[in-house]
Amino acid sequence: EVQLVESGGGLVQPGGSLRLSCEASGFTFSSYEMNWVRQAPGKGLEWVSSIGGSGSTIYYADSVKGRFTISRDNAKNSLYLQMNSLRAEDTAVYYCAPRGLTTWYFNYWGQGTLVTVSS
Amino acid sequence: EIVLTQSPATLSLSPGERATLSCRASQGVNSYLAWYQQKPGQAPRLLIYDAYKRATGIPARFSGSGSGTDFTLTISSLEPEDFAVYYCQHRQNWPLTFGGGTKVEIK
């Protein structure tokens, strides 16, 4: 059974930093692209970042480029998102989701972790 | 960036009625489009992928159609559990983008 458990969310001041983690199980983690997708309160879904199985291919949404860094540790079956220079508009639930397990879409999701950027 | 525009924003229907949701892409995405359902407090659930393929466990009342720039999600007869928000998403290129969503509410 595929399981994804996000952690690391919380309240942070504008300009601050936070590191999110996602622990995966139930599939061969190193073989699959991993993604972060976020959802601001009461708003729609926004893809944030993607990292290939080996970690060598990385993409970011323009809204986070230069501020967020995605990484993974395949030995620990874990995905990370280092978020710096946080803004109020980064407030959202952050989900981790793999692609490619059965489809090239997001058919497995974690429960999400809430990041609140506020003074 | 490919912009996905969903319409209508809200659809007010009664159980048993047919729901037709639209997703229009700003440029062609071939058949690389998916539909998700999201209920309050839950993560999204994949319903349809590659425009018309039902994901595992999805009831046959959900169907998808379209290619290129115009796509439709149809729910043939609404069940009480189908009242939710629906999003489309493409995988044609980077960045991956989602539509703004259509809320299907009880009339």
Side-chain angles (χ1 to χ4, degrees):
Chain A
E1 179 192 4
V2 173
Q3 290 195 329
L4 302 153
V5 179
E6 301 94 338
S7 61
L11 175 63
V12 61
Q13 292 188 338
S17 298
L18 213 53
R19 189 194 195 208
L20 305 184
S21 300
C22 170
E23 188 170 337
S25 60
F27 63 103
T28 307
F29 182 74
S30 60
S31 295
Y32 296 98
E33 173 195 291
M34 292 296 296
N35 296 264
W36 290 99
V37 177
R38 68 184 180 183
Q39 186 170 36
K43 302 297 183 183
L45 300 164
E46 180 187 17
W47 169 81
V48 172
S49 184
S50 172
I51 184 168
S54 66
S56 59
T57 304
I58 288 175
Y59 298 96
Y60 296 101
D62 284 346
S63 58
V64 306
K65 202 172 292 182
R67 301 187 299 121
F68 290 12
T69 301
I70 191 172
S71 62
R72 64 192 297 161
D73 184 336
N74 288 341
K76 295 182 178 179
N77 287 351
S78 292
L79 174 73
Y80 306 103
L81 187 67
Q82 177 67 43
M83 304 186 295
N84 298 332
S85 303
L86 282 161
R87 305 167 180 167
E89 54 264 37
D90 296 318
T91 294
V93 173
Y94 285 73
Y95 296 100
C96 70
R99 282 204 311 159
L101 268 73
T102 53
T103 74
W104 279 102
Y105 299 89
F106 303 117
N107 48 336
Y108 296 99
W109 299 71
Q111 85 289 349
T113 188
L114 176 63
V115 172
T116 303
V117 184
S118 175
S119 55
Chain B
E1 172 175 323
I2 296 173
V3 176
L4 298 178
T5 302
Q6 291 188 241
S7 61
T10 304
L11 200 51
S12 298
L13 295 168
S14 300
E17 289 192 296
R18 182 184 189 91
T20 303
L21 288 68
S22 174
C23 177
R24 177 163 290 179
S26 60
Q27 56 186 276
V29 298
N30 293 294
S31 295
Y32 299 142
L33 190 105
W35 291 93
Y36 299 84
Q37 177 194 67
Q38 188 178 33
K39 296 178 181 178
Q42 296 184 16
R45 177 174 72 145
L46 179 68
L47 300 175
I48 300 290
Y49 66 99
D50 287 345
Y52 68 92
K53 300 174 183 176
R54 269 191 302 276
T56 303
I58 302 304
R61 64 181 181 273
F62 291 94
S63 64
S65 64
S67 66
T69 60
D70 290 292
F71 299 85
T72 300
L73 173 69
T74 301
I75 310 172
S76 59
S77 177
L78 283 163
E79 296 288 339
E81 61 268 27
D82 298 337
F83 292 92
V85 180
Y86 294 82
Y87 296 96
C88 57
Q89 177 242 322
H90 81 84
R91 67 171 182 92
Q92 172 70 21
N93 55 22
W94 302 97
L96 307 178
T97 57
F98 291 86
T102 290
K103 181 179 182 180
V104 179
E105 65 176 22
I106 299 176
K107 186 174 181 180

